[in-house]
Amino acid sequence: MNKPKILVARAVFPEVLAKLAQHFDVESNQTDELWTPVQLIAKLQGKQGVFTTGSERIDAALLAACPSLKICANMAVGYNNFDLDAMTAAGVLGTNTPDVLTETTADFGFALLMATARRMAEAEHFLRAGQWTRWSYDMLAGSDIHGSTLGILGMGRIGQGIARRGALGFGMKVIYHNRSRLDAATEAECKASFVSKEELLKTADHLVLVLPYSASSHHAIGAPELAQMKPTATLINIARGGIVDDAALAAALRNKTIAAAGLDVFEGEPSVHPDLLTVPNVVLTPHIASATMPTRLAMANLAADNLIEFFMKNKALTPVNHA
Ligand code: 8YV
């Protein structure tokens, strides 16, 4: 029997490719070339499945040009690179990689929060630049984590992981806002209280963004929201570029509307708004919140298993639509 044909659009772990090769006729991209949409469409001709990352956009034009495609397995929990309505209309299933990256990503969110509040990147640059010539009482003084109020916008699995770290590890008071309120047992486990978005902005000493990107969360944090935050507050974005208006944030950091920001995701990444590169009170990292080798391997395996289960049992493990 002919094996289904799949495309692996980016370089992945060789052992994951080997597993896929047991079930599929695989074309892969181990040289990790970045294909244009036209090149991706050409590679997808005759393929029934594709292993994607957040870098590959699956939209109506691509789907119309690739009629054999049945499933797109994303190696990411976020899937805003998928036009889900277009995929559902075309009968194409999408899958993501939830759970396997929750704790790793929550660890990173907390690390970025601590680096930002305690000005670690700025301090390291200061030292490397030979500016540390003497001690002074306010040198690189930041803000406290312990005992402060942690605000979380978007209270899914990763938000809950950050809440637990803050409440149980650092004695923080945790408040959150989400489209829907958590059940009482989960709120109690995370020691988190539901508040309005306005209350969250006004009250949080540290605000962490962990909500999915969609048209409705575009620029959820822009100039009006930044103006409502405390001038001593820090803002952390580990969610998606586009949730924050990066130009407005750079202006707010420069004007000290808020004290500092830590950003792992950017509008138009891998490009970074040039104004963010020139303000000192921001810690910038290149979308690495899930980047530990065990977690990336678990993500790749889950994306691969979604393809295998779909073609072998007609039932993907973690679908994000009904196709
Ligand atoms: C991925 C992510 O590394 O899972 C997500 O949604 O943002 C990251 O963990 C990235 O999207 C590449 O696929």
Side-chain angles (χ1 to χ4, degrees), residues 57-60 63 79-89 321:
R57 174 118 193 101
I58 305 296
D59 58 15
L63 293 164
Y79 47 89
N80 56 304
N81 56 314
F82 289 172
D83 179 338
L84 215 57
D85 290 340
M87 286 170 63
T88 305
N321 65 341

Side-chain angles (χ1 to χ4, degrees), residues 102-245:
T102 300
E103 299 302 328
T104 294
T105 305
D107 281 352
F108 186 85
F110 221 87
L112 190 55
L113 167 57
M114 297 200 71
T116 303
R118 296 303 303 271
R119 302 173 63 181
M120 285 191 187
E122 212 182 328
E124 207 212 337
H125 291 145
F126 175 89
L127 184 152
R128 284 182 190 269
Q131 292 173 281
W132 185 28
T133 53
R134 62 197 182 118
W135 179 92
S136 66
Y137 77 97
D138 61 349
M139 186 178 88
L140 291 158
S143 55
D144 276 322
I145 300 289
H146 73 275
S148 65
T149 297
L150 172 62
I152 301 177
L153 186 59
M155 197 62 158
R157 291 164 284 235
I158 298 169
Q160 291 168 33
I162 291 170
R164 283 195 307 271
R165 282 160 177 75
L168 307 177
F170 290 83
M172 299 174 92
K173 176 181 175 199
V174 181
I175 55 176
Y176 77 96
H177 183 74
N178 197 43
R179 266 176 315 181
S180 48
R181 189 171 171 171
L182 299 179
D183 61 68
T186 312
E187 276 189 359
E189 192 216 321
C190 298
K191 297 193 186 307
S193 311
F194 182 82
V195 295
S196 67
K197 183 176 172 189
E198 193 192 353
E199 180 74 12
L200 186 81
L201 293 168
K202 281 190 346 209
T203 319
D205 294 311
H206 308 287
L207 177 60
V208 183
L209 308 178
V210 212
L211 65 168
Y213 179 80
S214 68
S216 60
S217 63
H218 181 74
H219 287 187
I221 302 293
E225 290 77 17
L226 291 161
Q228 292 176 65
M229 293 174 67
K230 294 180 180 179
T232 50
T234 57
L235 175 73
I236 306 300
N237 187 8
I238 56 163
R240 272 293 178 275
I243 290 175
V244 174
D245 177 344

Side-chain angles (χ1 to χ4, degrees), residues 53-54 75-78 101 240 287 290 296 299:
T53 69
M75 183 186 148
V77 67
L101 49 58
R240 272 293 178 275
H287 202 150
S290 68
R296 285 283 166 83
M299 292 165 69

